[in-house]
Amino acid sequence: MGDDAAFVAWWREPAFPETLVNRFLYALWSERPDLQATFANPVGGDEVDFLRWAWTTPYDADLGEAQGLLPAKTSLLAPIIKRAPGVNLVGYFSVGVGVGEVARLLVDGIQRAGIPHALYNSQKTVGRLQAEFVWEASDDRYAVTIATVTAEQLPVVAREIGRSLLADCDLVGIWAWEVADFPDYPEALALVDEIWALSEFSRRAITARTSKPVSVIPVPIGDPGLHQPLDRVGLSLPEGPYLLFVFDYLSIFERKNPLGLVRAFTRAFDEGEGPLLVIKSINGDHCRADREHLRALCGGRSDIYLIEEYLPEEVMSSLMGEATAYVSLHRAEGFGLTLAEAMVRGLPVIATGYSGNLEFMNPTNSLLIDYQLVPIGPGISAYPASSVWADPDLDAAAAAMRWVIQHPDEARELGHKGRLSVLGQLTFDRLTAFLWERLGTKLQEQP
């Protein structure tokens, strides 16, 4: 092998772009379970440690027989960057889905806390980009990297961002999880040094799977202020009160449970006797069977309106701001961002009394619907079939919808209580305090 210069040169070439790990080392890692267990991501966050191992392990037979195939020792120094106090923020900052909104809220909190930071805007998602988020690219690299990326996608994004953001720094993953059992994500768990969950419900599920620190990050909800009048003509939406639900098909159709919402609404009101039901969704083109199922269930009811498109942020604000109430008969939530956004606008909110939304919802500030825990069962690939989630009481939900319409003054008072509770609890001050508590020592100058 050493006599063939061209062959040796090929083995010494980088295994992938933007990595110092060459083909030989990557092939060795691929064949060695012990190396895979120690270096979960050898061309990402574990690259530096993997290279150091290759040069400082004197008794490894594979390395002893192939010293000529290792990268040059001088190249090992390239990724070892002096890290300044601050954070690298990784996320879907320009994507209009919940994980993108949490990432943007974190940016706001980091800026308010006065913590130096750089942004890496990942494109590894099918969500539609938004032009509203503007940032300046930076070559600065800091001592901590915070990735607002799902556990499932973190290894993909880690390979995308490469060693410059992951080498020689602490990695924090911001994760939500919606059901009681957290899956085994060994590569993601190996990458992170600690995890910030979006709710106590998520924290309990994740903690059962790892010994690494898991904290609850207080998600802030800002006051949206006044909204513009809703252009009902542009949305083909008739005048009159309406109940609203907003969801993303890619957030698991069965979990969001719009079919249960439609069934509860049709139990609550005969056609034409009550409010409209407006269901605003995105990404139905990626889940066409589910979309057709929902359309079929709504068919024939002139008081149910499906808005199946992305709307500008200001239109979404108006659509939510002018609703009579917000309704979510979810089976499980990691946090429930749209529920909090509805509450801060003063809407009475009807929601399943289970999972992450109990971080900020209670019987005094919202209408919580009773449920039974049922097995998830097979066919929902995102969740363990043996786990459980909520089956909300549709008759109770129907009664709550009727109450909101028949008792408008009391419903407005409930909405006002919900707004005050969110403004008092889900604050940027709490987020700032949490950031300094978790990161304070890591943001000090290192000798």
Side-chain angles (χ1 to χ4, degrees), residues 232-245:
R232 289 183 176 244
V233 174
L235 295 175
S236 300
L237 188 63
E239 294 297 324
Y242 60 89
L243 309 178
L244 178 66
F245 176 55

Side-chain angles (χ1 to χ4, degrees), residues 380-411:
I380 312 296
S381 59
Y383 306 119
S386 59
S387 192
V388 297
W389 58 15
D391 183 21
D393 184 332
L394 300 188
D395 288 331
M401 294 184 211
R402 288 193 297 269
W403 182 87
V404 164
I405 297 303
Q406 294 168 359
H407 301 85
D409 293 337
E410 293 95 326

Side-chain angles (χ1 to χ4, degrees), residues 174-203:
I174 296 184
W175 297 347
W177 190 247
E178 299 86 16
V179 301
D181 298 305
F182 189 68
D184 188 12
Y185 290 121
E187 189 174 357
L189 288 169
L191 283 170
V192 297
D193 295 285
E194 68 174 285
I195 300 155
W196 296 350
L198 298 189
S199 65
E200 177 60 24
F201 179 86
S202 295
R203 190 200 66 80

Side-chain angles (χ1 to χ4, degrees), residues 83-100:
R83 297 287 177 170
V87 296
N88 314 300
L89 299 176
V90 179
Y92 309 124
F93 299 111
S94 56
V95 175
V97 295
V99 68

Side-chain angles (χ1 to χ4, degrees), residues 178-361:
E178 299 86 16
V179 301
D181 298 305
F182 189 68
D184 188 12
Y185 290 121
E187 189 174 357
L189 288 169
L191 283 170
V192 297
D193 295 285
E194 68 174 285
I195 300 155
W196 296 350
L198 298 189
S199 65
E200 177 60 24
F201 179 86
S202 295
R203 190 200 66 80
R204 289 195 299 268
I206 298 169
T207 298
R209 186 64 71 173
T210 181
S211 60
K212 293 184 177 181
V214 186
S215 306
V216 178
I217 179 173
V219 178
I221 303 294
D223 189 342
L226 299 177
H227 60 266
Q228 297 295 319
L230 180 64
D231 179 11
R232 289 183 176 244
V233 174
L235 295 175
S236 300
L237 188 63
E239 294 297 324
Y242 60 89
L243 309 178
L244 178 66
F245 176 55
V246 178
F247 81 102
D248 181 353
Y249 277 90
L250 296 180
S251 292
I252 310 300
F253 182 74
E254 294 84 355
R255 177 174 73 83
K256 291 296 187 178
N257 196 25
L259 301 179
L261 172 59
V262 171
R263 293 186 178 107
F265 179 80
T266 57
R267 293 183 192 184
F269 307 104
D270 291 331
E271 186 170 2
E273 74 160 337
L276 305 175
L277 174 62
V278 177
I279 301 178
K280 163 69 179 67
S281 65
I282 57 173
N283 291 318
D285 54 326
H286 295 285
C287 307
R288 295 184 179 181
D290 292 333
R291 184 179 63 184
E292 292 308 313
H293 194 176
L294 179 58
R295 286 176 175 178
L297 188 63
C298 297
R301 288 285 300 230
S302 62
D303 51 357
I304 303 178
Y305 281 78
L306 302 180
I307 302 176
E308 301 173 326
E309 59 183 310
Y310 281 86
L311 297 177
E313 185 177 341
E314 62 273 14
V315 178
M316 276 302 306
S317 180
S318 299
L319 181 66
M320 184 170 282
E322 295 192 11
T324 302
Y326 189 87
V327 188
S328 171
L329 299 186
H330 59 265
R331 296 186 180 277
E333 283 286 359
F335 180 74
L337 193 59
T338 59
L339 295 167
E341 290 172 342
M343 290 175 70
V344 81
R345 287 173 168 82
L347 301 186
V349 174
I350 302 168
T352 310
Y354 177 71
S355 62
N357 56 301
L358 298 187
E359 197 75 14
F360 54 90
M361 298 182 75

